Amino acid sequence: MYFHHVYPAAVPVLKQRRSRLQHALLGTPAVVSAGAPPSRNYPANLYEFRATSHFLYLVGIPLVDAVLVLADGRAELFVPPMAPDDPLWHGEQPGLDEIQAVTGVDRVRVLPELPAHVATLGPAGRLPLVAAAQRTPADEQLIEAILALRLCHDDFAVHELRRAAAVTVRAHAAGHQAARSGASVASVRAAMEQPILEADFTTAYSSIVTVRGEVLHNFARSGCCQAGELLLADVGAESDSGWASDVTRTWPVSGQLSPSQRAMYELVLAAQKAAIATVRPGIRYRDVHRTACRVLAAGLRDEGLLTGEVDSLVERGAHALFFPHGVGHLLGLDVHDMEDFGDRAGYAPGRSRSSQFGLCYLRLDRDLAPGMAVTIEPGLYFVPAILNSEALTAPFRDVLRRDALPRFADVRGIRIEDDVLVTASGHEVLTAAIPKEVADIHR
Amino acid sequence: MYFHHVYPAAVPVLKQRRSRLQHALLGTPAVVSAGAPPSRNYPANLYEFRATSHFLYLVGIPLVDAVLVLADGRAELFVPPMAPDDPLWHGEQPGLDEIQAVTGVDRVRVLPELPAHVATLGPAGRLPLVAAAQRTPADEQLIEAILALRLCHDDFAVHELRRAAAVTVRAHAAGHQAARSGASVASVRAAMEQPILEADFTTAYSSIVTVRGEVLHNFARSGCCQAGELLLADVGAESDSGWASDVTRTWPVSGQLSPSQRAMYELVLAAQKAAIATVRPGIRYRDVHRTACRVLAAGLRDEGLLTGEVDSLVERGAHALFFPHGVGHLLGLDVHDMEDFGDRAGYAPGRSRSSQFGLCYLRLDRDLAPGMAVTIEPGLYFVPAILNSEALTAPFRDVLRRDALPRFADVRGIRIEDDVLVTASGHEVLTAAIPKEVADIHR
């Protein structure tokens, strides 16, 4: 057990978060575990450790196998006892007093004392979540209290989101430089991840760097960039304290967009700007999504890919033939923040996912509030699995103009994604320093 | 489910491996699962997938959740059925026939058919291993058959070990370039991992890049390299087919070794060369370890850190005060190859770990045979947790010269590690292209 990033300034923040959580829990205890790194095939080869987000939110530092217990107004942290040969393999370890100092908990104890301590408490809410069938009322209460706490970020969290965004700016600049004709896709990804590693940050998710942007979750990295192709890069840094960024840019490998690529690119950019412009406290996120859909549907009609009236096209979901996913999601300690709670994080009580193709993939439908962070990431894709699907296209036979499709063969997929913080007066784009204007793309 | 690296030339190799395994199993069926990527806090955020090594060895490509069944002289592969929206998120998926073509199995089926198929078989050996208490004779039989198969690498495996080594050469060259006074430790690690990412390989284990080499498993990367310090870099690439390399170099940040650093460096290098020189078929690996120990003990005595007769110092384990770990381990699809079998991989039947400090950490004690690959990685460390330990130093009060310790305060930790293939006539150093001579270090 060790930690190497400590922010002493965070202790008051951590105390406040734990205090607010205990107030919301009305006396119900909470037991929050940090988890352990999964092993890669055999026990001694571990993936890089990433503590659970709820633990990081409340304790601030990743401590393998540690457990936070909140009860009776106190915060006690249980950590694994030092093994005799830990100092040999892992160096001098922080003492219990040092851990207490940097976390601000009331007491640090060793894990073997946990069961007896928990036995003295009433039924406690537990995180990570146990399987739905095993969940108790205390677990449910803890979910609700955490949601109330984490949906809107405090100043320290925003500070960390900005740090993650700043490194992501460098990653995308490096990618822009590296994306030349003949460069391997893997080398572009390597160039983008280098500033992230240099900062001693990690990637917040598996990077997507591909010239086949129409494959939405394309983690393959074989092949080379060719002049005439678009390179889609969905790469975000996670700060050393665990806060995420999530940014997509799409560049022409040659530095020049073809007319068809330019038309689709400007359309996605217009949709993204229009969606961002609507972000403010009180707006329903599904309406942010709809704003993007309307811009896209209008543009697809103007470009001859769809026919008909825009509101009707959007209502029927015709735009989803080209924009099948949602316009974004919550962002925080997780890239899809609190998605471990399923749609209880993204969907306000009483709201649930649509069954309509496209809208069914929307991960967020809450009324936005100051301190929330979201991504705004519309895209346009020419996905064979959609356009060749009888089931998906049949309802739109009257509005889909197949004859126009060949004209856009060099587009494949375009997505433009930024991280947006909801402020008291509107919004702030945390990743605004990453160029996305066509004028900036034409180098 | 997808795969993006396929080596058609490997099909005969894969068939031969499966055939040899079935012969060794004498009719007992085997069920070998590929596993699935662990999630990072919530289901949609996954670590990069790495199939289990036994599966990769027998099937050649990573197929999430796939299961290989060997029975009645046939190889059948069970893969997850395609989800309706897989083509949307993951692109066009390979068909069952395509998977059959690149793996050479007799039949590819979908996972829901697995239980009924297994029910028709007798008791089968299962991998990954189930807990010891649940193991059946068939499981034990499979362990032994796999050990017999995988301890000595076939030509294709050696080809892949060479590919991993070649990329590791580039990683260390990049590290050598980046390790300048004032450079952050994180930036040196980033520079070393870039060639690995560029090759679309992964790191075979969490890189250790540190100016505190005396902390043996030091994954912390904060701080900067300072002139006068030694930088220890233990970084190895894993090829896109899953084969590992594992190399350590230790460089002076300034490009110049101090006299004390030079003395210790040359001593580790001499020990490494002497150990490598003994590698040949028939030699017991513990004797390779002892060769390194003897060179180190003699040098420590010459430098005034130990007194006494070399053989006696080694017999008593006095060298372990400065060289507490083993000289190496098996290398293959895992960095510690087949360590999922515990010491059954590293220790020949009838042999077991010593209880002596130092020797107890030796991971390998087999008689070497052509086709085995091992690391040779002696080191010298000034570990406060050892040198300040009454329990560890008391037995050596008569031979440890504490008065000499201050002279080596700028050494901290040095390790030199290469990957060595046992050949019919002796050995071949797979990573020989990575400089380690003092003359090459002084740039």
Side-chain angles (χ1 to χ4, degrees), chain B residues 281-295:
Chain B
I283 194 170
R284 182 172 177 177
Y285 191 78
R286 197 177 67 180
D287 293 333
V288 179
H289 175 76
R290 285 224 169 103
T291 295
C293 295
R294 265 196 303 274
V295 174

Side-chain angles (χ1 to χ4, degrees), chain B residues 269-342:
Chain B
L269 185 55
Q272 204 230 13
K273 287 181 176 178
I276 290 175
T278 68
V279 171
R280 61 177 180 274
I283 194 170
R284 182 172 177 177
Y285 191 78
R286 197 177 67 180
D287 293 333
V288 179
H289 175 76
R290 285 224 169 103
T291 295
C293 295
R294 265 196 303 274
V295 174
L296 293 174
L300 291 165
R301 191 194 54 181
D302 294 346
E303 295 293 332
L305 285 157
L306 295 176
T307 60
E309 201 262 321
V310 168
D311 281 346
S312 158
L313 290 172
V314 170
E315 188 59 38
R316 293 169 61 186
H319 62 280
L321 296 172
F322 302 95
F323 172 46
H325 61 74
V327 82
H329 48 77
L330 290 169
L331 180 76
L333 273 165
D334 290 310
V335 179
H336 300 166
D337 209 30
M338 296 187 282
E339 199 169 274
D340 55 322
F341 292 159

Side-chain angles (χ1 to χ4, degrees), chain A residues 46-283:
Chain A
L46 299 171
Y47 285 95
E48 187 115 344
F49 179 54
R50 207 305 188 150
T52 62
S53 295
H54 305 300
F55 183 90
L56 275 183
Y57 188 82
L58 297 167
V59 179
I61 54 175
L63 295 168
V64 174
D65 276 329
V67 179
L68 174 72
V69 178
L70 300 176
D72 304 321
R74 286 170 58 81
E76 303 205 3
L77 187 59
F78 294 78
V79 302
M82 190 134 68
D85 54 2
D86 270 355
L88 170 61
W89 299 103
H90 305 299
E92 297 300 319
Q93 299 300 297
L96 302 189
D97 50 347
E98 192 180 343
I99 294 173
Q100 185 178 1
V102 299
T103 60
V105 295
D106 296 297
R107 192 174 168 198
V108 180
R109 305 167 65 177
V110 291
L111 266 181
E113 298 176 12
L114 178 66
H117 179 67
V118 169
T120 68
L121 311 174
R126 297 159 293 174
L127 288 172
L129 278 186
V130 297
Q134 272 84 55
R135 264 172 233 162
T136 63
D139 293 327
E140 299 292 335
Q141 203 184 345
L142 181 55
I143 294 173
E144 293 303 321
I146 287 273
L147 281 172
L149 195 60
R150 283 187 52 191
L151 276 171
C152 298
H153 300 308
D154 54 35
D155 289 349
F156 187 77
V158 171
H159 173 76
E160 291 299 298
L161 289 171
R162 288 188 205 285
R163 289 179 70 232
V167 171
T168 303
V169 170
R170 300 211 288 273
H172 280 261
H176 208 165
Q177 285 298 314
R180 302 285 167 188
S181 180
S184 72
V185 170
S187 72
V188 177
R189 174 200 171 221
M192 296 187 76
E193 295 193 359
Q194 193 172 36
I196 297 173
L197 293 172
E198 272 180 8
D200 205 2
F201 285 16
T202 60
T203 50
Y205 50 92
S206 288
S207 302
I208 297 171
V209 180
T210 181
V211 289
R212 294 196 53 198
E214 82 282 11
V215 179
L216 297 181
H217 287 172
N218 193 348
F219 303 112
R221 296 177 294 264
S222 45
C224 285
C225 310
Q226 306 293 348
E229 291 181 323
L230 294 176
L231 184 72
L232 183 153
D234 187 346
V235 177
E238 176 180 298
S239 81
D240 43 11
S241 56
W243 295 81
S245 61
D246 183 1
V247 172
T248 308
R249 290 291 183 268
T250 310
W251 311 298
V253 170
S254 67
Q256 299 290 330
L257 292 161
S258 74
S260 53
Q261 289 169 343
R262 173 182 280 263
M264 290 297 109
Y265 189 89
E266 289 186 340
L267 181 49
V268 175
L269 185 56
Q272 202 230 14
K273 287 181 176 180
I276 290 175
T278 67
V279 172
R280 60 178 181 273
I283 194 169

Side-chain angles (χ1 to χ4, degrees), chain A residues 248-369:
Chain A
T248 308
R249 290 291 183 268
T250 310
W251 311 298
V253 170
S254 67
Q256 299 290 330
L257 292 161
S258 74
S260 53
Q261 289 169 343
R262 173 182 280 263
M264 290 297 109
Y265 189 89
E266 289 186 340
L267 181 49
V268 175
L269 185 56
Q272 202 230 14
K273 287 181 176 180
I276 290 175
T278 67
V279 172
R280 60 178 181 273
I283 194 169
R284 182 173 176 175
Y285 190 79
R286 197 177 68 182
D287 293 333
V288 179
H289 175 75
R290 286 225 168 103
T291 295
C293 295
R294 265 195 305 273
V295 174
L296 293 174
L300 291 166
R301 191 195 54 184
D302 294 348
E303 294 294 332
L305 286 157
L306 295 176
T307 58
E309 200 262 321
V310 169
D311 282 345
S312 158
L313 290 172
V314 171
E315 188 59 38
R316 293 168 61 186
H319 62 281
L321 295 173
F322 301 96
F323 173 45
H325 61 75
V327 82
H329 48 77
L330 291 169
L331 179 76
L333 272 165
D334 291 310
V335 178
H336 300 165
D337 209 29
M338 296 187 283
E339 198 168 276
D340 54 322
F341 292 159
D343 279 349
R344 285 174 78 166
Y347 277 70
R351 295 178 187 166
S352 60
R353 294 216 188 196
S354 164
S355 61
Q356 188 184 65
F357 178 73
L359 201 52
C360 66
Y361 296 116
L362 182 63
R363 294 177 186 272
L364 177 58
D365 187 15
R366 283 187 176 268
D367 296 343
L368 298 182

Side-chain angles (χ1 to χ4, degrees), chain B residues 116-436:
Chain B
H117 179 68
V118 169
T120 67
L121 310 175
R126 298 161 290 175
L127 288 174
L129 277 187
V130 296
Q134 271 85 55
R135 265 173 232 162
T136 64
D139 293 326
E140 298 292 334
Q141 202 184 347
L142 181 54
I143 293 174
E144 293 303 321
I146 288 273
L147 280 172
L149 194 60
R150 284 187 52 191
L151 275 171
C152 297
H153 301 306
D154 55 34
D155 289 349
F156 188 77
V158 171
H159 173 76
E160 291 300 298
L161 289 171
R162 287 187 206 284
R163 289 179 70 232
V167 171
T168 303
V169 170
R170 300 211 290 272
H172 280 261
H176 210 166
Q177 286 297 316
R180 302 286 168 186
S181 179
S184 71
V185 170
S187 73
V188 177
R189 175 200 170 221
M192 296 187 76
E193 294 192 0
Q194 192 172 36
I196 297 173
L197 293 171
E198 272 180 8
D200 205 2
F201 284 17
T202 60
T203 50
Y205 50 93
S206 288
S207 302
I208 297 172
V209 180
T210 181
V211 289
R212 295 195 54 197
E214 82 281 11
V215 179
L216 297 181
H217 287 173
N218 192 349
F219 303 112
R221 296 178 293 263
S222 46
C224 285
C225 310
Q226 305 293 347
E229 291 181 323
L230 294 176
L231 184 73
L232 184 152
D234 188 346
V235 177
E238 176 180 299
S239 82
D240 43 12
S241 56
W243 294 82
S245 61
D246 183 2
V247 172
T248 308
R249 289 292 183 269
T250 309
W251 310 298
V253 171
S254 66
Q256 297 291 328
L257 292 162
S258 74
S260 53
Q261 289 169 345
R262 174 184 281 263
M264 290 297 108
Y265 189 89
E266 288 187 342
L267 181 48
V268 174
L269 185 55
Q272 204 230 13
K273 287 181 176 178
I276 290 175
T278 68
V279 171
R280 61 177 180 274
I283 194 170
R284 182 172 177 177
Y285 191 78
R286 197 177 67 180
D287 293 333
V288 179
H289 175 76
R290 285 224 169 103
T291 295
C293 295
R294 265 196 303 274
V295 174
L296 293 174
L300 291 165
R301 191 194 54 181
D302 294 346
E303 295 293 332
L305 285 157
L306 295 176
T307 60
E309 201 262 321
V310 168
D311 281 346
S312 158
L313 290 172
V314 170
E315 188 59 38
R316 293 169 61 186
H319 62 280
L321 296 172
F322 302 95
F323 172 46
H325 61 74
V327 82
H329 48 77
L330 290 169
L331 180 76
L333 273 165
D334 290 310
V335 179
H336 300 166
D337 209 30
M338 296 187 282
E339 199 169 274
D340 55 322
F341 292 159
D343 279 350
R344 285 174 78 166
Y347 277 69
R351 295 179 187 166
S352 60
R353 293 217 188 197
S354 164
S355 61
Q356 187 183 66
F357 178 72
L359 201 52
C360 66
Y361 297 116
L362 183 62
R363 295 178 184 273
L364 177 58
D365 186 15
R366 284 187 175 269
D367 296 343
L368 298 182
M372 284 186 182
V374 299
T375 65
I376 301 291
E377 49 175 311
L380 284 173
Y381 314 87
F382 294 79
V383 185
I386 295 174
L387 298 173
N388 298 336
S389 161
E390 175 61 21
L392 292 176
T393 58
F396 306 109
R397 206 167 281 145
D398 56 327
V399 294
L400 174 60
R401 294 280 303 275
R402 287 193 176 276
D403 54 315
L405 291 173
R407 212 157 34 91
F408 298 93
D410 65 349
V411 174
R412 291 188 158 172
I414 295 169
R415 181 165 63 254
I416 305 173
E417 175 182 26
D418 280 299
D419 301 342
V420 180
L421 178 71
V422 185
T423 63
S425 58
H427 65 264
E428 177 192 339
V429 180
L430 298 173
T431 49
I434 307 178
K436 62 188 177 187

